[in-house]
Amino acid sequence: MSSAMETPPAVTVRVPAKVNLELLVGPAREDGYHALSTAFQAVSIHDDVTVDADDDWGVTVSGRDAAAVPTDETNIALRAARLLAAHAGLDEPVHVSIRKDIPVAGGMAGGSADAAATLIACDHLWGLGTPREELLELAAELGSDVPFLLHGGTAIGSGRGELLAPVLARGRFHWVFVPAKGAGLSTPAVYGEFDRLHAEAGTTPADPEPSPAMMSALRSGDATALARAFTNDLQPAALALRPDLATVLEAGLGFGALGGLVSGSGPTVAFLTAGAESAIDLAVALTASGVAHDVLRATGPVHGAHLLTAPRIS
């Protein structure tokens, strides 16, 4: 019988989705990315990612929208595992198993979440003890949202979103998310439409920085003030590509949401409510009216990627 040292047990990490409370988009940079200022909040919709030692590198996906997630070498979670192995000078293949609840291509960073979870899981499986700063650097190589999913809570992102500053935010917020019917929106397509709309209007985006209204609302913990401070510069582009989202936004506000916005690059629509009962009422109204085929209720902020199981110490 193999010992735990010879065959480490699987490691499972739970990781949240994110919503952008404020997403301010500046001009395109020389590297092709846009300058951003964004207020992230981690919310209680989770993926569970399990890594297990195996003879070959591989990935399987189950749960929500599983068929839309690639299971070849382009999978970002598998890329995360390989990146950490290369960084540590290891050649120890793993199989990554992803159980999804976060919508795919929905503007809630589902792929980035899986990459963040895989970094944490592999670090524990291999017993590396990689310093947090190094994990954040590796996360930034994988994608702009990945560092925040390691971080969790509420934070301000700058650069292309990967540079994080924690926010001392108060309060517990109650959310209702409406995943869009049909295909998701690709982030590059939404940014391309953002650029096209500005070019058509003859305008240049301003250099972004956090708004005083957003910072004040986060410090106060006031849900009404937070809803009033919502801004998403990508929302016009997302609505141009998916005009049906405007109907969802209008309905949610009509049914009593404090505020609503497209989450990130979309097409998931996020509504903030006054409390738990209001969230239930809104979810019921959206589905009963036929506006939404599916809704997800969540709270935030929550912790970033964290262990559910870890290898036993012999």
Side-chain angles (χ1 to χ4, degrees), residues 282-301:
L282 177 59
V284 169
L286 286 166
T287 52
S289 66
V291 170
H293 74 294
D294 186 19
V295 293
L296 299 168
R297 288 188 292 115
T299 58

Side-chain angles (χ1 to χ4, degrees), residues 21-22 38-41 154-156 166-171 173 175 210-223 225-226 229-230 301:
L21 311 174
E22 178 174 77
T38 186
F40 290 113
Q41 184 165 106
T154 304
I156 298 297
V167 175
L168 295 176
R170 294 182 180 180
F173 300 100
W175 295 91
S211 71
M214 177 56 64
M215 299 306 293
S216 175
L218 289 172
R219 286 192 296 267
S220 72
D222 185 322
L226 183 63
F230 282 168

Side-chain angles (χ1 to χ4, degrees), residues 193-205:
E193 182 66 7
F194 171 86
D195 290 335
R196 189 193 70 78
L197 290 173
H198 274 280
E200 185 177 77
T203 56
T204 300

Side-chain angles (χ1 to χ4, degrees), residues 206-306:
D207 291 328
E209 57 183 36
S211 71
M214 177 56 64
M215 299 306 293
S216 175
L218 289 172
R219 286 192 296 267
S220 72
D222 185 322
T224 300
L226 183 63
R228 288 175 179 159
F230 282 168
T231 306
N232 182 358
D233 286 350
L234 292 181
Q235 184 163 304
L239 294 179
L241 295 172
R242 289 289 301 265
D244 56 304
L245 302 183
T247 301
V248 178
L249 279 165
E250 182 179 357
L253 295 173
F255 289 137
L258 296 178
L261 78 171
V262 172
S263 179
S265 58
T268 301
V269 175
F271 293 107
L272 185 62
T273 69
E277 289 187 10
S278 299
I280 294 171
D281 291 344
L282 177 59
V284 169
L286 286 166
T287 52
S289 66
V291 170
H293 74 294
D294 186 19
V295 293
L296 299 168
R297 288 188 292 115
T299 58
V302 298
H303 294 298
H306 56 280

